Each structure stands twice: as C-alpha cells, then as structure tokens.
Amino acid sequence: QQPVQSPQAVILREGEDAVINCSSSKALYSVHWYRQKHGEAPVFLMILLKGGEQKGHEKISASFNEKKQQSSLYLTASQLSYSGTYFCGTFLMDSNYQLIWGAGTKLIIKP
Amino acid sequence: EAQVTQNPRYLITVTGKKLTVTCSQNMNHEYMSWYRQDPGLGLRQIYYSMNVEVTDKGDVPEGYKVSRKEKRNFPLILESPSPNQTSLYFCASSLSSGVEQYFGPGTRLTVT
C-alpha cells in the first residue's frame, strides 16, 4: 500500500534538473509532497488532487497522472537550498483519512 | 506564532518505564496525527484524531496509546516501552485530513 518513490537518492550539481516519482498500486485521490532537511521536520510543498492538475512552487512543480496513479516532482535549476529528503504522501480513493507515505528520495545538491 | 510543539525533544529511557510525549498546537486544527520515522521506512502513522474524543489506529499502533481530550493536545503514551520503539517521533496537525500538515520539531526516543 506504501507508494514507491524513485529514485531513492540523487546527486546533482547546482543548476541541474531533477525528477522524483511517486507511484501507487491503488487509485489515488490526492498526492502530497513534503521536503525534510536533515535534523528538521518535514515541510509542506504542495498537494495535487485527482484531475491531473499541475502545480508550481517557485522552481519546483509537480504533476499527477491519474491513469498511471503516479505523481512526479520537478526541480528545475536546482539550488543548494533544495537539498534534503523528499517525501510523497498519498490519499487513496477509499481512504480512511490516512496519508500513506513513501520511503523518501534523498536529494544532494553540490556547488 | 502558529506552531506545533512537542516535549521532550530527546528522551533516553529503559525498557518498561511508562512515558508520555506531549503534543500541542495553537492553530485550532481538527486533525492531529503521530508518526514515527525510521531510516529507509519514511513516515509511518501511529494514531490519528479527526477531532476531540475521536481517535483511530494508523499503520503501526501496537505498543502506543493516545488521547484527545482537548482540541489542542494529543499526547502519545508508551505504557511499556521496548527497544524496537527507539525512533524519531513527529506530531502533526492540519485543518482536516486532506490538507497541508504542520509538523512538530520531533522527539528522538531511545529505549535501552
């Protein structure tokens, strides 16, 4: 039931782009994205609702493919501040009010 | 300042000694939740609460108890802690179940 995130880790140079995927085997109602820096609490980035809407947050955007039950997080022209672990959380169509989290993708940005 | 607070931030205890981790939010949120975070496993929900006096089990509730007597507080109780409960614990709150969650700073618990 846990969504699968890929890749598990990625190392980039500052200015490069990255894509993080979150896939579910079950029908999704929404996908939530959070970023957690080392030693800190997760911080909300965005929510994507069923309907395939693409959202953006500065140079970080995301899409939701309903047919594939997959969401992708796009980080363009990455900055050092983007380093951290990115988690997706999924609400299922038959959810009992639980957000189910992926295992996370660790992103390391080097100068 | 809108925030979720947790206490203590760090706790080292021994097997079997009852403990409580407090969680409080000042945003009048209906929904509150407890998670544990272990390396490689992400966040796993322990218990959640839709409102006062309404609580339900998450994915890993064994060995934990919660209560929600007031809207702002959602304590996590370990009646008889064991070493496999050594983890990083986060409390979170939100207006409802499907919207942005605000996390507390975390409590690092070590059970020896």
Side-chain angles (χ1 to χ4, degrees):
Chain A
Q1 201 173 3
Q2 182 182 38
V4 177
Q5 285 188 237
S6 62
Q8 287 184 312
V10 59
I11 301 173
L12 297 175
R13 291 280 178 198
E14 204 173 2
E16 292 181 336
D17 301 340
V19 180
I20 299 171
N21 297 307
C22 175
S23 297
S24 173
S25 59
K26 303 238 178 185
L28 298 177
Y29 176 74
S30 64
V31 179
H32 302 217
W33 286 98
Y34 286 74
R35 177 172 61 207
Q36 183 179 30
K37 292 187 176 288
H38 182 69
E40 299 180 8
V43 173
F44 173 78
L45 291 175
M46 65 189 78
I47 293 175
L48 293 103
L49 298 175
K50 177 173 173 292
E53 181 186 358
Q54 183 153 352
K55 300 192 84 172
H57 177 76
E58 297 179 343
K59 292 181 182 176
I60 300 175
S61 62
S63 64
F64 181 11
N65 187 321
E66 233 177 292
K67 286 183 181 177
K68 292 184 178 179
Q69 300 306 322
Q70 177 178 302
S71 178
S72 296
L73 186 71
Y74 307 96
L75 299 100
T76 57
S78 56
Q79 306 167 13
L80 293 174
S81 61
Y82 288 1
S83 291
T85 301
Y86 289 77
F87 292 97
C88 69
T90 55
F91 262 102
L92 305 182
M93 289 295 286
D94 60 354
S95 170
N96 56 346
Y97 310 110
Q98 276 186 270
L99 193 61
I100 311 296
W101 298 83
T105 296
K106 188 169 186 176
L107 177 65
I108 298 171
I109 311 291
K110 293 188 173 182
Chain B
E1 181 192 351
Q3 60 182 350
V4 179
T5 56
Q6 290 179 232
N7 282 293
R9 294 289 312 278
Y10 303 91
L11 180 59
I12 300 174
T13 190
V14 296
T15 298
K17 187 176 181 182
K18 181 179 178 179
L19 66 92
T20 299
V21 183
T22 64
C23 172
S24 183
Q25 50 93 6
N26 63 1
M27 295 170 278
N28 202 37
H29 284 168
E30 305 274 338
Y31 185 89
M32 296 186 75
S33 184
W34 275 104
Y35 297 97
R36 61 177 289 173
Q37 185 174 37
D38 302 291
L41 295 178
L43 291 156
R44 293 182 293 168
Q45 193 174 47
I46 303 170
Y47 270 95
Y48 63 95
S49 169
M50 298 291 291
N51 210 327
V52 175
E53 302 292 0
V54 180
T55 62
D56 210 344
K57 296 177 181 178
D59 293 319
V60 289
E62 294 76 23
Y64 305 94
K65 285 174 62 175
V66 293
S67 68
R68 186 95 181 270
K69 295 189 172 76
E70 305 166 281
K71 198 171 189 178
R72 63 183 293 130
N73 297 323
F74 191 43
L76 179 69
I77 302 155
L78 285 74
E79 295 269 358
S80 183
S82 62
N84 65 11
Q85 292 178 299
T86 292
S87 187
L88 178 60
Y89 291 86
F90 285 104
C91 178
S93 74
S94 57
L95 280 170
S96 64
S97 62
V99 299
E100 174 184 358
Q101 292 192 34
Y102 294 80
F103 283 79
T107 296
R108 187 165 291 281
L109 172 65
T110 302
V111 184
T112 61

